[in-house]
Amino acid sequence: MKHLLKQYFGYDDFRPGQKKLIDSIMAGRDVLGIMPTGAGKSICYQIPALAMQGTTIVVSPLISLMKDQVTALNQAGVHAAYINSSLTESQISMAFANAKKNTYKIIYIAPERLDTQQFYDYSETADVTLVAVDEAHCVSQWGQDFRPGYLNVAAFVTRLEEKGKRPVLCAFTATATKEVKDDMVCMLGLRDPNILVTGFDRENLYFAVERPKDKMEAALRYVTGHEGESGIIYCNTRNGVEDVCEMLVAHGVPAAKYHAGMSNQERMENQDDFLYDRKPVIVATNAFGMGIDKSNVRYVLHYNMPQSMENYYQEAGRAGRDGGAAHCVLLYAPKDTATNRFLLENKETKKEITEEERKEILERDLQRLKVMTFYSTTKECLRKYILNYFGETTHMDCHNCGNCDADFEKHDVTQLGRQVVNCVYEVRQRFGINMILGVLRGSKNAKIIRYGFDRLKTYGKLADYAEPTLRQVIDALLQEEILIQTADQYPVLCLGKGYAKLKDEEFLLMIKTEVRKNVTGDGAGGEAEKAGGNGQAKGALGKSALDDAGFALFEKLRQKRLALAKEERVPPYIVFSDKALIDMCQKHPRTLEEMLGVSGVGASKLEKYGKVFLEVILEAKKGT
Ligand code: ADP
């Protein structure tokens, strides 16, 4: 298997989890692989497909995804094809005719096609030994991506079984919730599957949350500081996309935009501009991304906080698929929580659900929003927070995220916390954060006077403290569940089950204030950046990995890659990933044989591109 990995994909080792999944498939056992975005699911079925006799059918939800995967496979020397609605009828007939002749090792197909006469005819005679279901959560009605066509998978496998040759069935997804997991096993007809949840950690990703005073400015500074690098900027709304994109373009940044309000054609064009590196930056709503396999995305910047950790990790996970260092930066503002709440409350739901079900869904959504808000406000290790959320217990700080890199000063705010709680109690747990802050800081707001809250004991008690500090205290109280925030339209602060903690003499409520320069360069405390911090302008990719000569060579290799990609009309990352180019800059191969030692260079790519890239490297060497 390792030999196949090197020969076709040019990689030396399997990533965590890949080997186990592959071994299981090879032993003839069904599997369900749950791995985060970018962890390398495709290899888990592509390697067995190459090792096994017969053909592998891959069920995949998206046309762009299929096209990308098939192009990449053919580049790697694997005969693969896709069959979906982007082909004309005669192209489809041709593909099936070739398939019948066993021309393809791997066929990607849209789920709806499994239920067509042409496919029935094909599967009558075909030797299908493996069926792989990509984005398998689409079979579940629990998620937002339900796709009825996925229900055809089970029937297709049964048909083959009735003919006496049941293929191995393997399914892959990044969604790990229990409901979806159960659905996948049941609805796809997985038989006693080996269910593997592989490490959710993506070591090459650097996580950071920032609260810039001016998000536009922060975004611009970040993007211009990472010039030439490919990045995605996610906004919550179409208007947000328009504004941010316009601002970037006005400052000379080659940025494209993508949201559901644009025509299909415009979206496709913009997506291609991004994929082909004609425009390195794309500003988009969450409509963008599923099936985007671009491996050299060096950063994902969230202009707004998303609605759940699931969404965040999936979107952020689109950075650094090639394994090279990449940034995931979230620009947070408290307003994001309110906007998201509004969006969730006004979300269109399917008509057939009852009012009770609607309420249940909303409650679940708001709970997820809460978890996301905690991520955005925590001062603890961000990676630890993410991994714990996805069920991996870890107690170690990662020392590779914005919070671990920041210098925090810890403050004991237990007394302030008590005052806040007293105030919540005094207003009978019937008001929200703004009212509590107003009372504590002694505001003369008309509402406060009208309610007579200026006569409360806690009125003006914390007038000396800045509002952001008190908000931090409230965040800490919420995290400790000493207070809870109701899920109403106008959320109210109430005492929570953690209230008892305050009775414990030894309990300390701590907040951290930070002294650091942010990744976006919006210095919060003005302290010099820590050595080894990842916020340099050169960016995630840059200086730490390469010296100046290396960087110059990288640029030359990148130009060569762009030229070749243009000639062949494929996205540049299909020729070689950034990681492969960086590896070339570090290893300086002098012969084709040495070139084969570069990560991402397999036999087929060596034959195709080895010489051309070697020439660039040798030429640069002469010049130094
Ligand atoms: P997923 O489908 O899980 O989101 P992909 O299958 O697209 O992820 O893989 C992400 C990237 O990781 C791809 O560029 C792929 O070539 C690369 N990759 C996969 N396995 C390995 C490996 N063992 N070593 C190095 N890179 C790998």
Side-chain angles (χ1 to χ4, degrees), residues 5 9 11-15 18 35-43 46 69 134-135 293 295 317 320-323 577 579 599:
L5 182 72
F9 302 99
Y11 302 134
D12 293 322
D13 284 303
F14 285 108
R15 289 205 186 134
Q18 286 180 329
M35 303 164 92
T37 311
K41 290 186 270 294
S42 327
I43 294 248
Q46 287 167 349
Q69 294 261 359
D134 203 6
E135 309 287 356
D293 231 355
S295 71
R321 275 169 181 266
D322 55 11
S577 68
K579 180 98 187 294
S599 169

Side-chain angles (χ1 to χ4, degrees), residues 95-383:
F96 274 120
N98 285 336
K100 279 185 188 162
K101 285 187 249 158
N102 290 329
T103 311
Y104 308 120
K105 203 69 195 135
I106 304 182
I107 300 176
Y108 281 75
I109 195 155
E112 294 73 21
R113 295 266 151 195
L114 297 174
D115 192 28
T116 59
Q117 193 55 46
Q118 269 172 320
F119 193 74
Y120 286 161
D121 291 347
Y122 160 72
S123 47
E124 272 302 302
T125 53
D127 181 21
V128 178
T129 41
L130 177 64
V131 174
V133 185
D134 203 6
E135 309 287 356
H137 62 280
C138 292
V139 79
S140 168
Q141 310 216 27
W142 271 100
Q144 293 177 348
D145 300 322
F146 174 56
R147 179 93 169 251
Y150 268 71
L151 300 171
N152 294 328
V153 173
F156 164 55
V157 173
T158 307
R159 270 200 325 271
L160 294 177
E161 185 174 19
E162 281 165 4
K163 290 203 173 56
K165 44 176 187 182
R166 184 186 187 275
V168 180
L169 180 58
C170 56
F172 298 89
T173 180
T175 310
T177 56
K178 181 170 179 333
E179 298 93 341
V180 177
K181 220 189 302 185
D182 292 348
D183 260 9
M184 287 186 289
V185 173
C186 171
M187 310 302 276
L188 292 172
L190 288 162
R191 193 167 293 171
D192 181 28
N194 191 357
I195 302 179
L196 267 176
V197 184
T198 72
F200 260 65
D201 191 13
R202 299 271 313 279
E203 284 175 9
N204 59 319
L205 300 186
Y206 182 90
F207 292 94
V209 178
E210 296 180 3
R211 284 188 185 210
K213 285 186 206 84
D214 182 341
K215 284 192 184 185
M216 280 278 186
E217 204 187 302
L220 178 64
R221 206 174 13 220
Y222 185 87
V223 173
T224 46
H226 293 75
E227 198 185 333
E229 290 182 11
S230 189
I232 306 176
I233 302 179
Y234 277 111
C235 301
N236 271 5
T237 61
R238 294 174 193 182
N239 283 345
V241 170
E242 294 286 343
D243 293 348
V244 173
C245 189
E246 196 182 326
M247 178 276 294
L248 289 176
V249 172
H251 285 85
V253 177
K257 62 183 175 183
Y258 189 105
H259 59 67
M262 292 159 44
S263 73
N264 256 345
Q265 187 181 348
E266 202 183 347
R267 268 192 318 207
M268 287 315 289
E269 280 170 12
N270 291 1
Q271 177 172 312
D272 275 358
D273 279 346
F274 176 65
L275 294 183
Y276 286 77
D277 282 344
R278 290 190 288 266
K279 292 190 178 165
V281 179
I282 193 156
V283 189
T285 59
N286 61 5
F288 175 80
M290 177 136 136
I292 299 298
D293 231 355
K294 194 175 198 301
S295 71
N296 65 335
V297 175
R298 295 268 66 87
Y299 61 87
V300 172
L301 195 68
H302 275 79
Y303 193 79
N304 306 104
M305 178 183 78
Q307 293 174 349
S308 68
M309 280 308 292
E310 282 85 353
N311 290 358
Y312 181 63
Y313 206 49
Q314 188 171 42
E315 288 160 14
R318 293 182 180 130
R321 275 169 181 266
D322 55 11
H327 278 164
C328 306
V329 185
L330 169 58
L331 302 182
Y332 173 74
K335 209 175 97 190
D336 290 338
T337 308
T339 313
N340 275 322
R341 176 184 288 273
F342 176 83
L343 292 173
L344 289 172
E345 280 165 351
N346 293 285
K347 187 170 81 173
E348 264 188 47
T349 42
K350 288 187 211 108
K351 283 204 186 69
E352 58 270 23
I353 66 168
T354 63
E355 182 55 26
E356 205 168 305
E357 283 169 328
R358 201 190 65 79
K359 267 201 184 137
E360 204 181 306
I361 292 173
L362 179 62
E363 226 164 81
R364 205 182 56 202
D365 286 348
L366 291 176
Q367 176 58 29
R368 288 192 180 146
L369 180 62
K370 195 162 112 185
V371 172
M372 191 64 227
T373 310
F374 281 173
Y375 172 81
S376 310
T377 52
T378 183
K379 298 285 183 287
E380 301 304 321
C381 169
L382 293 170
R383 191 181 309 275

Side-chain angles (χ1 to χ4, degrees), residues 58 253 411 481 519 536:
V58 183
V253 177
H411 300 278
E481 295 190 318
V519 180
Q536 296 106 320

